Amino acid sequence: MSADTFVRVAALGDLEEDTPKRVEIDGTPVSVIRTEGEVFAINDICSHANVSLSEGEVEDCSIECWLHGSSFDLRTGKPNGLPATRPVPVYPVKIEGEGPEATVFVSVT
């Protein structure tokens, strides 16, 4: 994957721990989450209910859909239980720099 497929989404310091940030990259809704010392990017639309995941809660490296409680693993996008049965896409994240000023990039291609 070439560097030009990554898009700047935030400064690391702008991402609050366990608080999803919704961004749009080339028309794709993405939830960017800083948790457990890492940054993850997952498609922002629940595969079960077609609602925004970034409005849900983050816990144990998972994000829970606020509507029906489906939970998705931030590393794989796989559902952790019903009612969702289909995974949601996850996207590669790249961080350049150090500290709160480090830049977070995501690729949806």
Side-chain angles (χ1 to χ4, degrees):
M1 191 172 293
S2 65
D4 59 347
T5 63
F6 281 85
V7 175
R8 182 194 185 282
V9 294
L12 187 59
D14 292 340
L15 298 176
E16 293 182 46
E17 187 79 11
D18 296 331
T19 303
K21 177 181 175 76
R22 187 183 195 277
V23 298
E24 195 164 302
I25 302 171
D26 297 329
T28 301
V30 177
S31 185
V32 182
I33 299 128
R34 181 180 181 181
T35 187
E36 299 184 12
E38 295 185 65
V39 177
F40 299 94
I42 189 167
N43 191 284
D44 192 45
I45 304 301
C46 177
S47 63
H48 169 256
N50 198 32
V51 297
S52 177
L53 289 174
S54 62
E55 295 177 35
E57 294 186 18
V58 175
E59 187 176 344
D60 296 329
C61 213
S62 294
I63 189 165
E64 182 179 77
C65 178
W66 61 270
L67 188 58
H68 295 121
S70 293
S71 178
F72 300 90
D73 188 301
L74 294 174
R75 297 166 291 233
T76 65
K78 292 181 181 175
N80 294 324
L82 297 174
T85 58
R86 293 186 330 259
V88 293
V90 294
Y91 307 109
V93 173
K94 180 172 70 169
I95 299 173
E96 290 183 358
E98 304 216 4
E101 289 78 34
T103 305
V104 179
F105 295 89
V106 174
S107 175
V108 295
T109 57

